Amino acid sequence: MPESRQRLDKWLFFSRAVKSRTLAQKLIESGAVRVNSERTLASDHRVGAGDVLTMTVHTRLLVWKILDAGERRGPATEAALLYEDLSPPPLPRADRVAPVAERDAGAGRPTKKERRETDRLKGE
C-alpha cells in the first residue's frame, strides 16, 4: 500500500509527466511546478490525494489533481489513474505558429537565377 503523501519528484516520475526523477527535480527547481497555486522549488515537497499541480512541460500548461500516490512507474494506463487532468485545451495550431511567406503551389525552391535576382533587389 503506498504512503498517503509522497515526494513531488517521485510522484511526477510515477505519473509519467517526466522521463526520469532527475528531470523531475530539474523541472521543480526551475520553478515550473506549483502545488495548490504555490510555487515550490523543493523536489522533496510532499504531495498527496487532493493536491492540485500546475506545471509547464514542453510549452504545455498542465493542471492535474492528484488522486493517489503511486507505488511504481507502471504502464501509462496505470499512471493515468494517479491524476485527473484539469488542463485547459491547447491553443489551435494556427494561433501558435508565426505566419510563413506563401509561394505558388508547385513553385518549389527558388532557382539559382531567381536567388540572384532576389539578392540584387536586396542590394547584396
Side-chain angles (χ1 to χ4, degrees):
M1 178 103 185
E3 296 179 10
S4 59
R5 303 200 56 81
Q6 187 173 50
R7 285 178 59 110
L8 179 56
D9 62 337
K10 203 171 185 180
W11 190 88
L12 288 173
F13 176 62
F14 288 169
S15 68
R16 294 184 163 262
V18 291
K19 289 185 176 185
S20 69
R21 281 188 62 188
T22 304
L23 290 175
Q25 289 171 345
K26 288 179 182 179
L27 183 70
I28 295 163
E29 291 169 359
S30 72
V33 179
R34 292 177 177 266
V35 179
N36 297 327
S37 300
E38 294 181 21
R39 192 172 105 183
T40 182
L41 298 174
S43 57
D44 64 343
H45 185 90
R46 296 287 182 172
V47 294
D51 288 337
V52 177
L53 300 180
T54 306
M55 56 192 147
T56 307
V57 179
H58 302 295
T59 68
R60 285 194 54 218
L61 177 67
L62 299 176
V63 181
W64 288 356
K65 180 178 180 182
I66 299 175
L67 301 177
D68 192 16
E71 292 183 30
R72 66 188 182 106
R73 182 180 168 94
T77 54
E78 186 179 311
L81 300 175
L82 298 179
Y83 61 89
E84 177 185 352
D85 192 2
L86 306 173
S87 304
L91 295 174
R93 181 120 174 104
D95 294 344
R96 292 186 286 159
V97 177
V100 178
E102 294 184 22
R103 291 179 53 90
D104 295 333
R109 294 177 55 181
T111 64
K112 193 170 188 177
K113 181 180 178 183
E114 291 171 338
R115 201 173 59 242
R116 285 182 182 146
E117 290 172 359
T118 305
D119 289 344
R120 269 191 234 114
L121 288 173
K122 289 181 182 179
E124 294 178 2

